[in-house]
Amino acid sequence: MARLEIGQIIAVIKEKLPEAVVEEILDGVDPFVVVKAEQWGETAQLCRDDSRLGFDLLSCISGVDYPEREEGPEIEVIYHLDSTVNHHGITIKVKLPRSDPRVASVEEIWRTADWHERETYDLVGVIFEGHHNLVRILCAEDWVGHPLRKDYEPPDSFHGIKNVIY
Amino acid sequence: MNEIENRNPDPLTKNVIFMSAIDDVINATRANSVWPLTFGLACCAIEMMATGAAKYDLDRFGSGPFRGTPRQSDLMIVAGTVTHKMAPRVKRLYDQMPEPKYVIAMGGCVIRGGPYVKHGYHVVKGVDLLIPVDVYIPGCPPRPEALLEGLFKVQKLMKREKILDRTRRTTKPEVYQPV
């Protein structure tokens, strides 16, 4: 297959899943589309399996906390997909309510997602539904809270070790 | 003339008896065969490896065989950021080392948290909150020469050791109990 421009990639997604794409921001350095959270699982499957898209590589999963959005407090999960066959890529964002951030796990689709989703869960607190082992990966097993949330307050001590010097 | 003297053919040393304080002998052997624990936590460990490698050559100073187990080591070079997740492991390694044991805190992170001192929620603000430290080496990371200087300081400490004095280790209370 051939390399597709960002507009063509979106067209392929819309052809199969007309409801999935809710927003397109294509003028930035890193153009992205926003996908409806409920349809992210199907979209991911489509992105990998459709031969025109051929996204066989999940480069990165990130989570960002936006507590003061106009639409209400949100957490964004950002997926960077690349195709080693077609030599194109896309950035997909999924917006989740901050009070209960849940999204489908894509661990079964790309094995890379296993640890990336655990990291996003550990630091931002997104629940990836369907993940086989969603436990903390970086912080200690019994750590409390998700450190990269904007309102996170570090503990004064952890297991008796003082954490505040000044 | 006893049997031992008969075996020594050198006329100059034939009847000489060498006397020294047992402390000096033991301390000299100890200070000139320091076995550090193979133990690196972050970027300071790169400098520690450089110190052990050919250019700076730790072996010149009676140290260097980095041991793979705490049971064969008498020096722990804490090289790199100690996180809260790593803290119980560091403490356990220290507890497994035989007495007398010595600790070098290498680099800013190990001394007081370094760049993580204010916002580093995951960093232990100084390894001396976990285990007693003998020598602190500031730097980010310290150069190999600084680590060598720290080793000389440890060797000086070793030469002050008294074989019957077991109190030096217990002057600092254990502040931390791992779960």
Side-chain angles (χ1 to χ4, degrees), chain B residues 81 107-118 123-127:
Chain B
T81 318
C109 300
V110 187
I111 295 171
R112 251 310 168 264
Y116 309 102
V117 68
K118 193 154 176 9
V123 174
V124 176
K125 309 296 185 298
V127 78

Side-chain angles (χ1 to χ4, degrees), chain A residues 123 136-143 147-148 152 154-155 157-166, chain B residues 83-85 87-89 112 117-126 129-130 175-179:
Chain A
L123 298 178
R136 288 183 184 275
I137 191 170
L138 293 173
C139 291
E141 294 81 0
D142 49 352
W143 195 264
L148 292 193
Y152 177 76
S157 72
F158 186 70
H159 285 304
I161 313 170
K162 201 166 49 146
N163 204 20
V164 182
I165 299 291
Y166 303 109
Chain B
T83 58
H84 281 292
K85 196 175 183 180
R89 282 85 169 170
R112 251 310 168 264
V117 68
K118 193 154 176 9
H119 299 293
Y121 55 89
H122 59 301
V123 174
V124 176
K125 309 296 185 298
L129 296 172
L130 306 173
V175 291
Y176 169 68
Q177 293 298 321
V179 285

Side-chain angles (χ1 to χ4, degrees), chain A:
Chain A
M1 302 304 284
R3 184 177 190 280
L4 299 183
E5 294 304 319
I6 181 81
Q8 296 169 294
I9 295 172
I10 297 167
V12 172
I13 296 175
K14 279 184 172 169
E15 179 193 314
K16 290 282 176 65
L17 297 166
E19 302 290 307
V21 178
V22 291
E23 197 181 339
E24 302 166 29
I25 310 285
L26 304 181
D27 52 354
V29 179
D30 188 13
F32 65 89
V33 295
V34 179
V35 168
K36 209 184 276 182
E38 300 82 45
Q39 286 195 289
W40 165 236
E42 300 163 62
T43 315
Q45 194 76 49
L46 172 76
C47 286
R48 192 194 66 176
D49 292 343
D50 192 296
S51 60
R52 287 169 292 175
L53 302 176
F55 291 119
D56 51 357
L57 179 69
L58 175 63
S59 300
C60 190
I61 299 180
S62 338
V64 187
D65 184 19
Y66 292 105
E68 291 171 359
R69 274 263 163 99
E70 286 172 17
E71 305 91 317
E74 274 180 339
I75 286 180
E76 275 184 2
V77 185
I78 300 131
Y79 299 82
H80 283 85
L81 303 178
D82 285 296
S83 172
T84 60
V85 185
N86 299 336
H87 307 291
H88 55 220
I90 190 174
T91 304
I92 296 179
K93 295 191 182 184
V94 178
K95 293 184 177 178
L96 309 171
R98 195 169 185 275
S99 53
D100 186 27
R102 286 175 184 275
V103 70
S105 169
V106 291
E107 178 216 8
E108 297 279 313
I109 300 169
W110 296 283
R111 289 303 309 276
T112 325
D114 183 354
W115 283 14
H116 276 103
E117 288 181 350
R118 280 177 63 187
E119 186 182 355
T120 312
Y121 163 71
D122 188 358
L123 298 178
V124 193
V126 179
I127 311 283
F128 291 92
E129 288 172 326
H131 194 289
H132 81 289
N133 181 30
L134 195 65
V135 295
R136 288 183 184 275
I137 191 170
L138 293 173
C139 291
E141 294 81 0
D142 49 352
W143 195 264
V144 178
H146 301 288
L148 292 193
R149 289 221 180 173
K150 294 282 193 287
D151 57 355
Y152 177 76
E153 289 291 334
D156 290 341
S157 72
F158 186 70
H159 285 304
I161 313 170
K162 201 166 49 146
N163 204 20
V164 182
I165 299 291
Y166 303 109

Side-chain angles (χ1 to χ4, degrees), chain A residues 161, chain B residues 37 39 41 76-78 82 87-97 101-105 110 124 126-134 136 169 172-178:
Chain A
I161 313 170
Chain B
L37 177 59
F39 179 62
L41 295 180
M76 177 188 252
I77 304 174
V78 187
V82 185
R89 282 85 169 170
V90 174
K91 172 76 174 162
R92 174 166 291 185
L93 286 172
Y94 177 79
D95 288 343
Q96 287 177 342
M97 287 165 65
K101 47 195 171 187
Y102 303 84
V103 176
I104 291 180
V110 187
V124 176
V127 78
D128 50 6
L129 296 172
L130 306 173
I131 55 180
V133 174
D134 294 287
Y136 296 86
R169 291 284 106 196
K172 190 147 190 175
E174 301 291 342
V175 291
Y176 169 68
Q177 293 298 321

